């Protein structure tokens, strides 16, 4: 079984602090390329910018397995320069506008530090405080020397932190998946053809993975992502019986989510693998949110797919929180599954 040590934490920190807002994933891509090149038989950056990696398998026709994680994160795009360091922006991906006012952000290739301006409480009325502020009325304030360009991306300025058993970052979704894929490549079993897609533009419609599925034409695919855990007490202080995943309960295996029903053979195989290896795991309960499995499933004549995610709290906010143990258990479940996989898995 693999463990999470300083090397893995340092790499995740680097990945999380990089900016990779959808459509502009270059910073993350550079880190991924550097990490995968020594271990891969083929590395390619496709037309959209995804990194596609192949590790050949032994035997005449090894099982071709695609594992996907998305490099992009939600964030913002500068759309207008108002002068004096004020910039209009739009949200890229799903972010709740209520999370925005008063937050520090980084903008553009140089990570220029700015703030999403907020009217102070002293100057607002009770009525104003009851309502969300529309994003069109907000500005990113870079100060009088600010030099952003229209089209520049921005994201929350939060830096990665390890706090005891927890990790906190703006981009656990889905840099934790990216880190897991890199580790799987380094420990890849020889008997399968391992195809890794570090895909772009998941947060705005699963676009990179769709192309990657066509490129690899896999026998089966697994999307590795980070999923919202709504496991806090509800606002009335009662126990929350309707959580979808919980921190600390290990990898969340999906039986279904909005764009797919997972292939039951793969769900069963993952569960059996977890039980055999005594890996803590959970089944994700239904609810919003999809993964790249939905896009890969529809490549060519169809691909059997399943999703496995590391749970985190506070999705698409300035900081999400995950547990190191859930990361480790997800990595080991996937590694054990790859080690045990044979073409028989797909026999009907
Ligand atoms: Zn994600």
């Amino acid at each position: 079984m693999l463990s999470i040590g300083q090397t893995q934490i340092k790499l995740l920190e680097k990945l999380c602090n990089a900016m990779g807002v959808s459509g502009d994933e270059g910073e993350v891509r550079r880190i991924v390329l550097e990490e995968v090149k020594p271990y891969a038989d083929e590395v390619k950056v496709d037309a959209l910018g995804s990194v596609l990696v192949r590790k050949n398998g032994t035997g005449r026709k090894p099982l071709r397995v695609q594992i996907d994680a998305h490099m992009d994160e939600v964030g913002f795009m500068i759309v207008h320069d108002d002068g004096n360091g004020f910039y209009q922006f739009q949200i890229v991906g799903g972010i709740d506008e209520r999370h925005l006012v008063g937050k520090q952000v980084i903008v553009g290739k140089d990570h220029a530090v700015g703030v999403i301006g907020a009217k102070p409480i002293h100057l607002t009325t009770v009525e104003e405080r009851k309502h969300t502020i529309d994003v069109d009325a907000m500005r990113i304030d870079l100060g009088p020397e600010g030099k952003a360009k229209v089209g520049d991306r921005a994201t929350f300025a939060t830096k990665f932190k390890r706090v005891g058993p927890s990790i906190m970052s703006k981009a656990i979704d889905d840099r934790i998946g990216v880190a897991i894929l890199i580790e799987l490549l380094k420990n890849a079993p020889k008997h399968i053809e391992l195809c890794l897609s570090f895909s772009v533009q998941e947060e705005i419609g699963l676009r990179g993975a769709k192309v990657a599925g066509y490129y690899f034409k896999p026998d089966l695919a697994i999307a590795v992502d980070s999923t919202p855990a709504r496991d806090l007490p509800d606002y009335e202080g009662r126990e929350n019986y309707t959580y979808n995943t919980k921190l600390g309960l290990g990898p969340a295996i999906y039986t279904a989510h909005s764009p797919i029903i997972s292939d039951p053979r793969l769900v069963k195989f993952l569960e059996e693998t977890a039980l055999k290896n005594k890996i803590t795991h959970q089944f994700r309960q239904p609810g919003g949110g999809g993964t790249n499995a939905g896009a890969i499933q529809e490549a060519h004549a169809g691909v059997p797919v399943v999703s496995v995610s590391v749970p985190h709290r506070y999705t698409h906010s300035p900081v999400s929180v995950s547990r190191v143990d859930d990361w480790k258990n997800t990595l080991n479940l996937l590694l054990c599954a790859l080690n045990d996989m044979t073409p028989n898995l797909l026999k009907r």
Side-chain angles (χ1 to χ4, degrees), residues 36-57:
V36 299
K37 272 182 180 158
Y39 301 94
D41 292 309
E42 179 196 326
V43 180
K44 181 187 155 78
V45 177
D46 76 7
L48 297 189
S50 299
V51 180
L52 307 179
V53 176
R54 194 190 307 265
K55 175 108 179 150
N56 296 330

Side-chain angles (χ1 to χ4, degrees), residues 70 72-73 172-175 202-203 224-228 254 290-292 309 312 315-316:
H70 65 90
D72 64 317
E73 68 190 285
I172 287 176
D173 176 11
D174 182 24
R175 304 293 151 70
E202 189 268 355
E203 297 290 1
V224 182
D225 211 323
S226 179
T227 193
Y254 294 52
T291 74
N292 273 335
S309 285
H312 70 262
T315 312
H316 294 188

